[in-house]
Protein backbone atom coordinates (compact mmCIF):
# COMPACT_ATOMS: atom_id res chain seq x y z
CA UNK A 1 0.00 0.00 0.00
CA UNK A 2 1.47 3.40 -0.95
CA UNK A 3 2.24 5.81 1.87
CA UNK A 4 2.03 9.60 2.09
CA UNK A 5 3.44 11.79 4.87
CA UNK A 6 2.46 15.39 5.65
CA UNK A 7 5.06 17.30 7.62
CA UNK A 8 5.13 20.69 9.34
CA UNK A 9 6.90 22.20 12.32
CA UNK A 10 4.81 21.05 15.26
CA UNK A 11 2.23 18.66 13.76
CA UNK A 12 -0.44 20.82 15.39
CA UNK A 13 -2.42 22.40 12.52
CA UNK A 14 -1.42 22.26 8.85
CA UNK A 15 -0.15 18.70 8.62
CA UNK A 16 -3.05 17.45 10.75
CA UNK A 17 -5.57 19.15 8.44
CA UNK A 18 -3.79 17.73 5.39
CA UNK A 19 -3.89 14.25 6.90
CA UNK A 20 -7.62 14.62 7.52
CA UNK A 21 -8.34 15.70 3.96
CA UNK A 22 -6.04 13.03 2.47
CA UNK A 23 -7.74 10.25 4.44
CA UNK A 24 -11.05 11.40 2.98
CA UNK A 25 -9.90 12.14 -0.58
CA UNK A 26 -7.37 9.34 -1.13
CA UNK A 27 -9.43 6.71 0.62
CA UNK A 28 -8.27 3.31 1.83
CA UNK A 29 -5.86 2.79 -1.07
CA UNK A 30 -3.31 5.03 0.67
CA UNK A 31 -1.73 4.93 4.12
CA UNK A 32 -1.80 8.53 5.33
CA UNK A 33 0.12 10.04 8.25
CA UNK A 34 1.39 13.37 9.51
CA UNK A 35 4.19 14.45 11.81
CA UNK A 36 6.36 17.37 12.83
CA UNK A 37 9.98 18.18 13.44
CA UNK A 38 8.74 19.10 16.94
CA UNK A 39 5.64 18.21 18.98
CA UNK A 40 3.32 21.14 19.71
CA UNK A 41 0.08 19.28 20.49
CA UNK A 42 -3.08 19.25 18.39
CA UNK A 43 -4.49 22.76 18.06
CA UNK A 44 -8.18 22.94 19.09
CA UNK A 45 -8.90 25.52 16.37
CA UNK A 46 -7.64 23.06 13.74
CA UNK A 47 -10.04 20.47 15.16
CA UNK A 48 -12.90 23.00 15.12
CA UNK A 49 -12.35 24.23 11.57
CA UNK A 50 -12.02 20.69 10.21
CA UNK A 51 -15.25 19.71 11.99
CA UNK A 52 -16.93 22.59 10.14
CA UNK A 53 -16.29 20.70 6.88
CA UNK A 54 -17.27 17.31 8.29
CA UNK A 55 -13.82 15.89 9.07
CA UNK A 56 -13.08 14.76 12.61
CA UNK A 57 -9.41 14.99 13.58
CA UNK A 58 -10.11 15.19 17.32
CA UNK A 59 -8.47 11.81 17.94
CA UNK A 60 -5.22 12.80 16.19
CA UNK A 61 -2.09 13.35 18.26
CA UNK A 62 0.99 15.43 17.59
CA UNK A 63 3.88 13.16 16.55
CA UNK A 64 7.55 13.48 15.66
CA UNK A 65 8.77 12.38 12.24
CA UNK A 66 9.22 8.61 12.10
CA UNK A 67 12.27 8.11 9.88
CA UNK A 68 11.39 4.47 9.14
CA UNK A 69 7.92 5.50 7.91
CA UNK A 70 9.40 8.46 6.02
CA UNK A 71 11.76 6.15 4.14
CA UNK A 72 8.87 3.90 3.07
CA UNK A 73 6.78 6.75 1.65
CA UNK A 74 6.02 7.31 -1.99
CA UNK A 75 5.12 10.97 -1.29
CA UNK A 76 6.25 13.46 1.35
CA UNK A 77 4.56 16.85 1.54
CA UNK A 78 6.08 19.65 3.61
CA UNK A 79 3.70 22.44 4.58
CA UNK A 80 6.25 24.97 5.82
CA UNK A 81 9.85 25.95 5.19
CA UNK A 82 10.92 24.76 8.62
CA UNK A 83 9.77 21.19 7.91
CA UNK A 84 11.28 21.30 4.42
CA UNK A 85 14.62 22.49 5.77
CA UNK A 86 14.72 20.16 8.80
CA UNK A 87 13.20 17.04 7.26
CA UNK A 88 15.58 14.08 7.30
CA UNK A 89 17.01 13.03 3.96
CA UNK A 90 14.70 10.73 2.03
CA UNK A 91 15.52 8.05 -0.53
CA UNK A 92 15.52 9.26 -4.16
CA UNK A 93 12.35 7.21 -4.78
CA UNK A 94 10.30 9.59 -2.60
CA UNK A 95 8.37 12.25 -4.49
CA UNK A 96 8.44 15.51 -2.55
CA UNK A 97 5.99 18.37 -2.64
CA UNK A 98 6.31 21.66 -0.78
CA UNK A 99 3.21 23.70 0.05
CA UNK A 100 4.46 26.81 1.91
CA UNK A 101 1.47 27.81 4.01
CA UNK A 102 1.28 30.32 6.85
CA UNK A 103 1.04 28.86 10.34
CA UNK A 104 -2.52 29.57 11.51
CA UNK A 105 -1.42 29.00 15.12
CA UNK A 106 0.47 32.29 14.88
CA UNK A 107 -2.69 34.23 14.07
CA UNK A 108 -3.53 36.94 16.57
CA UNK A 109 -6.66 38.79 17.55
CA UNK A 110 -10.07 37.71 18.73
CA UNK A 111 -11.15 34.09 18.30
CA UNK A 112 -13.22 35.10 15.23
CA UNK A 113 -10.15 36.57 13.55
CA UNK A 114 -7.99 33.57 14.40
CA UNK A 115 -10.67 31.17 13.13
CA UNK A 116 -10.77 33.05 9.84
CA UNK A 117 -7.03 32.44 9.36
CA UNK A 118 -7.50 28.74 10.19
CA UNK A 119 -10.32 28.53 7.64
CA UNK A 120 -8.23 30.16 4.93
CA UNK A 121 -5.33 27.76 5.52
CA UNK A 122 -7.75 24.80 5.76
CA UNK A 123 -9.35 25.72 2.44
CA UNK A 124 -5.98 26.03 0.73
CA UNK A 125 -4.92 22.65 2.10
CA UNK A 126 -8.15 21.10 0.81
CA UNK A 127 -7.49 22.56 -2.64
CA UNK A 128 -3.91 21.25 -2.60
CA UNK A 129 -4.90 17.77 -1.44
CA UNK A 130 -7.74 17.64 -3.99
CA UNK A 131 -5.33 18.56 -6.79
CA UNK A 132 -2.82 15.97 -5.58
CA UNK A 133 -5.54 13.28 -5.38
CA UNK A 134 -6.62 14.08 -8.94
CA UNK A 135 -3.02 13.87 -10.15
CA UNK A 136 -2.51 10.52 -8.41
CA UNK A 137 -5.71 9.08 -9.86
CA UNK A 138 -4.47 9.94 -13.38
CA UNK A 139 -1.22 8.02 -12.89
Amino acid sequence: MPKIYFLCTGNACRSQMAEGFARQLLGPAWEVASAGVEIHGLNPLAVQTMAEVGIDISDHTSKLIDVAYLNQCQIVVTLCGDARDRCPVTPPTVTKYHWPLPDPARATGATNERLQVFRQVRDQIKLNVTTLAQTLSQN
Side-chain angles (χ1 to χ4, degrees):
M1 173 181 299
K3 295 176 169 62
I4 186 168
Y5 218 1
F6 294 96
L7 307 175
C8 67
T9 303
N11 192 220
C13 304
R14 294 165 288 187
S15 56
Q16 295 283 359
M17 290 189 276
E19 178 182 348
F21 281 121
R23 287 182 185 277
Q24 180 187 62
L25 296 168
L26 295 176
W30 281 81
E31 187 174 329
V32 180
S34 68
V37 294
E38 301 167 5
I39 296 175
H40 291 178
L42 182 60
N43 189 299
L45 296 181
V47 174
Q48 181 179 341
T49 55
M50 290 299 286
E52 291 172 358
V53 296
I55 298 176
D56 182 7
I57 62 168
S58 63
D59 64 341
H60 289 200
T61 57
S62 185
K63 302 166 290 303
L64 286 175
I65 295 171
D66 177 336
V67 176
Y69 184 86
L70 178 77
N71 288 329
Q72 296 170 13
C73 286
Q74 282 65 42
I75 298 174
V76 171
V77 180
T78 53
L79 292 107
C80 67
D82 190 37
R84 181 196 59 207
D85 296 344
R86 294 172 59 193
C87 179
V89 174
T90 58
T93 55
V94 175
T95 301
K96 294 181 188 176
Y97 293 91
H98 179 59
W99 302 339
L101 297 166
D103 185 354
R106 293 182 184 224
T108 58
T111 303
N112 278 13
E113 296 165 313
R114 294 172 53 225
L115 278 169
Q116 191 55 36
V117 173
F118 271 83
R119 289 178 184 125
Q120 290 169 349
V121 171
R122 175 203 64 203
D123 293 347
Q124 184 61 54
I125 291 170
K126 181 179 182 181
L127 180 64
N128 291 359
V129 174
T130 300
T131 301
L132 177 60
Q134 290 169 343
T135 300
L136 293 173
S137 70
Q138 294 169 359
N139 293 339

